[in-house]
Amino acid sequence: MPKIADVLRGALTGQDIELKGWIYRTRTIGGKAFVVLRDSSGVLQVAVSRESVPADQFEGAERALIESAATAKGTIVADKRAPGGYEMRAKEFHVVSFAEKFPIQQDLSEEFLLDVRHLWVRSQRMTSIFRVRHTVFGAVHEYFRGEGFFEVHPPMITPVGSEGGATLFNVEYFGKKAYLTQSWQLYAEALALSMEKVYYIGPSFRAEKSRTTRHLTEYWHCEMEEAWAGMDDVLKHAERVIEHAAHRAAEENPEDLKFLGRDPDLLVKVHTPFEHITYDEALRRLKAKGMEIEWGKDLRTLEERALTEGMGQPIIVSRYPRVSQAFYKRRDPANPELVLGFDVIAPDDVGEIVGGSERETDLEYLKQAIVEFGEDPAHYEWYLDTRRFGNVQHAGFGMGMERLIQWICKLDHIRDAIPFPRTPARFSP
Ligand code: 4AD
Ligand code: MG
């Protein structure tokens, strides 16, 4: 069955086709009902005139409220007056189900739209984002599979965390304490010593109270881990997977991107290598902009914003101070105060979209780092076996899929990058 997008591409002009969809907008002028029909691919005006369809069908088209379900048969014509430049002249119009008065009418406040998210997912804005999201997920799988990575899956219920206790969600597990995963990190290191090049995309959970435009409590995390590889090796994959996703979105969804306010040409121009600076260089650049950061402090949103201001693509910052970094990051052999860790930072206020590092391989150092991190090494015994058996250089990263989509779609807020956002204030609908 043809979709509305095929009509809008001009592929069906002059033909008689059938469409199935939902009424997006409707108005009647004289003896004609102009019904804008929506399907998963777009919207199209269907002209239903009193003369061309049986009386009961015209009456149905006239009476049906928005979000009624309908099917239409008719001829596709090019018409400059119609939105999108095409119109169907209906020969048949059947209302499949008459809708009640749709709650989304005038009130479009953010809070209200979140309350009725189950209905708002039908909007042009959300469906455009969903199509891009679909493309981006496909592109990421395509990239890693093309590079010889195996897709493997970690558990979601875990006995310990890897990114610090403060953001762990507790799960009561048959009387024992468990957590929702923050990252596949510890499992990835075990799996890299099995399958060497591994990746996955799945949910991660962060009990982060911060209400910002880039934090969700449940987000989709693309993570990769590679044995026999160092920071510079995986960093290349980070920039290239972003490049690939940006190009794919520009190819597959140019109209959706334009609708969302993102010029697809900017994405076409994304190219690797990305600019790569050290943490120390980042501090120098920020100082030149009048922002004095104490050495050792993580970069905050406003600093990431200042660093990427006016840029068309993300940049890489590497070699962060060891203090305040997760225990598993490898110390820089050239300066043990630093770790071989990196972030990829996107412009347009999105900030960090990737965090990764080479992993520490020294067993004794790791045990001590776990203690310094405020954790009990006894809980990490199984993980430490990765350093006891077949210990080799390895590295990996995690990429927030919604942050990537937020940047690609130029969204002000991360919540629109996912159909049903989970934030500190909301877990329904
Ligand atoms: O920087 P993070 O915390 O790194 C890790 O979890 C590593 N274990 C990943 C690895 O090396 N395998 O998280 C990685 C990415 C961030 O760069 C960000 O894009 C995303 O996950 N992220 C979030 N996205 C949305 N909401 C949140 N609350 C997020 N927290 C992290
Ligand atoms: Mg990080």
Side-chain angles (χ1 to χ4, degrees):
M1 206 172 77
K3 304 305 291 183
I4 285 174
D6 304 324
V7 174
L8 297 176
R9 258 197 300 279
L12 299 168
T13 313
Q15 295 185 32
D16 270 20
I17 62 164
E18 181 181 13
L19 291 172
K20 294 182 180 176
W22 294 265
I23 297 179
Y24 183 69
R25 210 167 41 223
T26 177
R27 76 200 149 97
T28 308
I29 300 172
K32 247 186 191 174
F34 292 96
V35 179
V36 177
L37 210 61
R38 159 182 81 74
D39 72 8
S40 57
S41 71
V43 299
L44 181 75
Q45 177 166 293
V46 179
V48 188
S49 63
R50 202 186 289 280
E51 302 89 68
S52 321
V53 299
D56 60 321
Q57 293 183 16
F58 180 75
E59 189 265 335
E62 224 182 358
R63 182 161 70 85
L65 300 178
I66 64 172
E67 290 307 323
S68 295
T71 64
K73 277 187 188 160
T75 316
I76 300 300
V77 297
D79 188 333
K80 285 201 187 68
R81 292 165 303 176
Y86 293 91
E87 181 179 85
M88 173 188 268
R89 307 257 158 92
K91 294 176 177 167
E92 279 182 43
F93 190 89
H94 302 280
V95 178
V96 176
S97 70
F98 285 92
E100 297 177 20
K101 188 171 187 301
F102 199 57
I104 305 175
Q105 301 276 355
Q106 297 300 325
D107 180 5
L108 295 179
S109 73
E110 281 300 339
E111 276 311 303
F112 175 70
L113 292 181
L114 288 165
D115 286 342
V116 293
R117 188 72 163 192
H118 54 292
L119 300 174
W120 182 238
V121 292
R122 305 175 185 194
S123 63
Q124 291 293 97
R125 175 177 170 79
M126 292 312 299
T127 51
S128 290
I129 297 168
F130 296 157
R131 285 188 288 266
V132 178
R133 184 178 165 106
H134 165 82
T135 300
V136 169
F137 270 68
V140 171
H141 281 294
E142 191 175 61
Y143 176 81
F144 282 113
R145 285 163 178 259
E147 293 288 326
F149 282 76
F150 287 99
E151 182 180 355
V152 276
H153 305 98
M156 301 291 118
I157 300 172
T158 64
V160 287
S162 62
E163 309 305 313
T167 63
L168 280 170
F169 273 112
N170 297 316
V171 178
E172 212 251 24
Y173 197 77
F174 304 114
K176 293 205 181 93
K177 203 168 175 185
Y179 308 99
L180 293 180
T181 186
Q182 295 168 307
S183 161
W184 82 334
Q185 181 71 40
L186 307 180
Y187 298 94
E189 294 186 54
L191 290 165
L193 300 186
S194 157
M195 297 302 285
E196 299 187 55
K197 294 169 77 168
V198 292
Y199 86 101
Y200 114 109
I201 310 178
S204 275
F205 303 87
R206 305 277 170 118
E208 232 150 351
K209 284 237 176 72
S210 43
R211 286 161 178 257
T212 73
T213 57
R214 55 190 202 156
H215 285 90
L216 296 165
T217 54
E218 177 185 295
Y219 70 97
W220 285 71
H221 205 167
C222 165
E223 303 195 80
M224 62 79 77
E225 195 76 24
E226 187 172 3
W228 316 104
M231 179 176 80
D232 290 330
D233 300 305
V234 297
L235 209 153
K236 285 198 180 66
H237 287 302
E239 56 185 6
R240 286 172 52 206
V241 72
I242 293 168
E243 177 187 50
H244 186 64
H247 290 177
R248 266 275 182 266
E251 270 164 35
E252 303 276 331
N253 311 97
E255 295 309 320
D256 289 316
L257 291 166
K258 281 183 215 158
F259 179 80
L260 294 165
R262 167 64 81 205
D263 179 0
D265 281 348
L266 180 133
L267 301 178
V268 171
K269 289 192 190 117
V270 169
H271 61 91
T272 54
F274 292 171
E275 188 182 5
H276 180 174
I277 62 173
T278 61
Y279 172 83
D280 286 351
E281 170 61 14
L283 290 205
R284 279 193 290 276
R285 288 190 184 185
L286 290 168
K287 193 171 180 184
K289 290 181 182 243
M291 301 170 95
E292 193 92 39
I293 316 298
E294 190 188 327
W295 193 88
K297 286 264 186 301
D298 226 352
L299 302 178
R300 293 169 300 172
T301 312
L302 69 160
E303 286 122 20
E304 290 182 347
R305 182 180 300 150
L307 271 182
T308 52
E309 212 175 343
M311 290 182 173
Q313 62 177 38
I315 64 163
I316 298 163
V317 179
S318 72
R319 294 185 158 78
Y320 284 82
R322 197 179 75 87
V323 286
S324 82
Q325 293 287 324
F327 61 85
Y328 52 76
K329 297 191 183 179
R330 187 179 173 208
R331 288 158 299 166
D332 184 352
N335 178 355
E337 288 308 305
L338 305 178
V339 290
L340 294 178
F342 68 95
D343 283 347
V344 180
I345 301 173
D348 303 308
D349 285 359
V350 175
E352 179 194 331
I353 50 179
V354 174
S357 73
E358 190 164 325
R359 318 308 189 186
E360 184 60 54
T361 48
D362 182 323
L363 177 61
E364 291 313 313
Y365 169 82
L366 256 183
K367 287 184 188 166
Q368 173 207 324
I370 289 171
V371 175
E372 278 176 38
F373 203 62
E375 302 287 337
D376 180 355
H379 295 153
Y380 292 82
E381 269 307 307
W382 67 270
Y383 168 70
L384 294 172
D385 274 352
T386 56
R387 308 312 198 257
R388 296 187 181 105
F389 306 103
N391 196 7
V392 293
Q393 185 191 33
H394 61 292
F397 66 75
M399 173 166 74
M401 292 298 285
E402 286 76 20
R403 295 220 184 141
L404 175 63
I405 292 159
Q406 186 184 1
W407 176 65
I408 286 180
C409 293
K410 207 172 192 291
L411 308 177
D412 296 338
H413 203 294
I414 193 169
R415 66 178 160 230
D416 281 350
I418 190 164
F420 293 96
R422 297 292 175 250
T423 58
R426 178 181 290 280
F427 59 94
S428 76

